[in-house]
Amino acid sequence: MAIEPCCRGYAECMTDVVDSDELLRRMQRARACAVDEERTWRARSDELRPTDPDGAREAAVRGTAYEVVVRVLDEVLTPGRHGEG
C-alpha cells in the first residue's frame, strides 16, 4: 500500500518541490481543514460546558488556536481583504 504524499511526515512533505498552483491548493486545503477543526472544537466546548468546565475550556482554547490559523491563512490567500477586528 502506497502512502499518500499528505500522509507522510511534515519534514518529508516540506522537501517536495511544488509549483505555485500546488502550493496554493495546499494552503486552501489547510484553511478548509482548520475551519472544520475550529467548528468541531467550538461544538465540543459547548457540549462539555454543563458537565466538564475544564474540558470545555481546553476545547475552547483549541478552537481559538484554529481560528487564528484560519485568520492567518485568510490573510496569506487573500491579502488585505480582511479588516482588523
Side-chain angles (χ1 to χ4, degrees):
M1 179 169 83
I3 297 176
E4 294 295 319
C6 65
C7 297
R8 295 181 292 168
Y10 174 80
E12 289 181 46
C13 285
M14 293 307 295
T15 61
D16 293 347
V17 176
V18 297
D19 63 14
S20 60
D21 290 335
E22 177 61 17
L23 183 59
L24 180 61
R25 281 190 292 276
R26 289 181 185 192
M27 287 190 292
Q28 289 167 336
R29 272 194 316 265
R31 185 195 177 282
C33 178
V35 167
D36 289 343
E37 288 293 322
E38 177 188 1
R39 192 174 299 126
T40 298
W41 285 109
R42 297 281 183 206
R44 181 77 173 141
S45 176
D46 292 342
E47 178 183 305
L48 290 173
R49 192 168 290 118
T51 58
D52 184 3
D54 290 337
R57 191 171 26 261
E58 174 68 25
V61 167
R62 289 174 188 251
T64 300
Y66 280 106
E67 176 187 0
V68 170
V69 170
V70 170
R71 292 176 78 179
V72 168
L73 287 172
D74 279 345
E75 187 60 32
V76 169
L77 293 167
T78 54
R81 289 176 77 191
H82 311 281
E84 292 196 23

